[in-house]
Amino acid sequence: MSPAPLSAAAAAVPAGSCVLVGCAAGVDAFFRLAFPTAEVFSVASGRWGVGRGAFAARSVACVRGVVSGGGLWVSFPSSACPTGLVPSSSQSRCFSGSGSGSWASLAFALGSGLPCAVFLGSLPVPPAWGLSPVPGLTGWFGCCQVVAPSQSPVQLSLF
């Protein structure tokens, strides 16, 4: 991935913001360097168990941390959304072994009611996800409405 969208996202974070980030290489590593005081959700800590399930549990905890702080979920998937994955407030529906932690985390974030920004670049926009282009920012999409079971649509502002 080009560093330009990563740098643009980092520059948009207001000073003093609480930043939560995962432990993966690539995008996570970029943001750990950009925000040395970020709270890192690390599987190696053992806090979320061991094995593949620990990565899902770590991601669920990170999303919940952003929810509790009233923040914005920002995602940079490197591949198209897995077929059949849709936003849901059910962690087991999102983290069902589809093979993409970025998309599963984004699905859980949207399903949990978080406003989200996602850099897709040239990747296809998954249908029925409620993502719309962010005006003036090529390749960026955001949630316009979050619809949770038994709730009415809520208009969210991204920037």
Side-chain angles (χ1 to χ4, degrees):
M1 166 170 293
S2 163
L6 301 176
S7 296
V13 176
S17 293
C18 179
V19 175
L20 302 139
V21 66
C23 60
V27 171
D28 285 357
F30 176 91
F31 286 102
R32 289 193 306 272
L33 285 173
F35 299 98
T37 61
E39 182 177 351
V40 179
F41 285 69
S42 175
V43 171
S45 72
R47 185 174 174 192
W48 296 284
V50 295
R52 288 185 58 170
F55 289 92
R58 178 270 329 255
S59 296
V60 167
C62 191
V63 169
R64 288 183 173 153
V66 176
V67 168
S68 70
L72 171 72
W73 189 261
V74 182
S75 182
F76 298 85
S78 61
S79 60
C81 181
T83 302
L85 180 63
V86 294
S88 174
S89 60
S90 167
Q91 66 188 51
S92 61
R93 285 189 181 158
C94 296
F95 296 92
S96 59
S98 68
S100 176
S102 295
W103 281 107
S105 297
L106 180 59
F108 187 59
L110 282 167
S112 297
L114 268 177
C116 298
V118 58
F119 182 76
L120 294 178
S122 61
L123 294 175
V125 178
W129 272 59
L131 297 173
S132 299
V134 176
L137 297 175
T138 303
W140 282 95
F141 293 80
C143 63
C144 294
Q145 293 183 348
V146 176
V147 180
S150 75
Q151 290 184 344
S152 301
V154 178
Q155 187 69 32
L156 299 172
S157 175
L158 287 176
F159 298 92

